[in-house]
Amino acid sequence: GGFPLNIALPITIIAGIETESITTDETGNASIVGRNIVISNAVGGSSYRIVYEVNNSINGISSDEIIINVDEVPDAAVVGTTIETCADAVSLNATPVTTGYGRWDIVSSSAGTPSIAQADSSNPTANITNLAVVSTVDLTWTTQNGVCAGTVANLQIDQKGEVTTPEIKLDNVDQTGQTVVVCVGVDYTLEGKAPNTGNGEGSSWSLTSGTGVTLPSGTSGTINPSTKGPVGIEYVISSTVPGCTQETR
């Protein structure tokens, strides 16, 4: 777009000066203001050849010229929301830059030494690797075009670690996969280890075999077998965070 451009030229005052003028071979209005040449409505991405000419009654006509390259203002830096993951590598999420270019920089990490390949640092969806378990990484996405600075946007990665390992207790006794003998018509307390809801975790019970047992809707509750026979019970903790693998007991 257009914007004022002021250019100060080192012009020597010559005795007997009669006229002075400037010309330019690009779009824009050029004028002389004191010892400055002012170009208004300059167009970004253009190159201006400006010729300053003096017609002197003593020395005749002399001239000098300067080339001015005008860079366009780059796009604003835009990134997505905080990235949550259980993985040790993720793709970043900046908006692509059409005018100018962008660059990722890792500002800090609470643990480990995450990295972005140098060849990938200008990619808005660059891959960051070596994320430490349970760590926070702060990054910046900066835009620029030539000599024109853009803006900076901040992005954070929250590495959540592993999903909580499920544990099962029956009447407050830890169960590690062994067979347990119970009685029909008797109440038993079935309890699963609580998931970490702050990390997007949830839990569920299911019957893998058999019938006659109504499982809790939450992490714990009372069961009362109504029929005789083997019953398989499974407790799962999963997470909505990308890259997290569910755990089963």
Side-chain angles (χ1 to χ4, degrees):
F3 53 90
L5 175 63
N6 295 308
I7 308 166
L9 298 178
I11 300 173
T12 302
I13 304 300
I14 303 175
I17 185 171
E18 293 180 352
T19 60
E20 56 183 354
S21 62
I22 54 174
T23 57
T24 176
D25 56 5
E26 278 285 359
T27 301
N29 300 317
S31 60
I32 300 173
V33 180
R35 294 297 89 194
N36 293 328
I37 292 176
V38 177
I39 299 178
S40 61
N41 299 319
V43 178
S46 298
S47 180
Y48 290 79
R49 174 177 172 268
I50 302 170
V51 179
Y52 175 78
E53 184 176 280
V54 172
N55 187 349
N56 184 276
S57 58
I58 298 175
N59 300 318
I61 297 175
S62 63
S63 64
D64 200 357
E65 68 178 56
I66 186 173
I67 304 297
I68 302 295
N69 295 318
V70 182
D71 292 328
E72 292 188 83
V73 176
D75 296 341
V78 179
V79 298
T81 57
T82 296
I83 298 175
E84 296 182 333
T85 185
C86 289
D88 61 2
V90 294
S91 295
L92 304 177
N93 57 5
T95 299
V97 177
T98 56
T99 300
Y101 60 91
R103 184 189 72 251
W104 287 110
D105 291 295
I106 298 173
V107 178
S108 65
S109 178
S110 62
T113 54
S115 62
I116 301 172
Q118 181 64 33
D120 210 23
S121 61
S122 294
N123 180 357
T125 57
N127 198 42
I128 182 170
T129 60
N130 300 323
L131 298 174
V133 175
V134 190
S135 64
T136 300
V137 181
D138 292 303
L139 306 98
T140 56
W141 173 249
T142 305
T143 59
Q144 187 168 345
N145 186 36
V147 298
C148 299
T151 58
V152 178
N154 300 306
L155 178 66
Q156 188 172 85
I157 300 173
D158 186 5
Q159 213 288 352
K160 297 291 189 179
E162 301 298 328
V163 171
T164 301
T165 300
E167 296 177 2
I168 298 175
K169 291 183 179 181
L170 186 66
D171 277 354
N172 208 34
V173 177
D174 290 330
Q175 305 299 314
T176 58
Q178 72 273 30
T179 299
V180 180
V181 179
V182 296
C183 299
V184 173
V186 176
D187 287 344
Y188 297 91
T189 300
L190 184 65
E191 179 182 0
K193 185 176 182 178
N196 185 347
T197 55
N199 281 355
E201 293 181 1
S203 63
S204 62
W205 295 97
S206 63
L207 288 179
T208 59
S209 63
T211 59
V213 175
T214 301
L215 296 172
S217 58
T219 57
S220 63
T222 299
I223 62 172
N224 187 314
S226 61
T227 59
K228 181 181 177 180
V231 175
I233 297 176
E234 183 177 79
Y235 182 60
V236 173
I237 295 181
S238 59
S239 176
T240 58
V241 174
C244 297
T245 303
Q246 73 175 28
E247 298 287 339
T248 304
R249 172 60 60 86

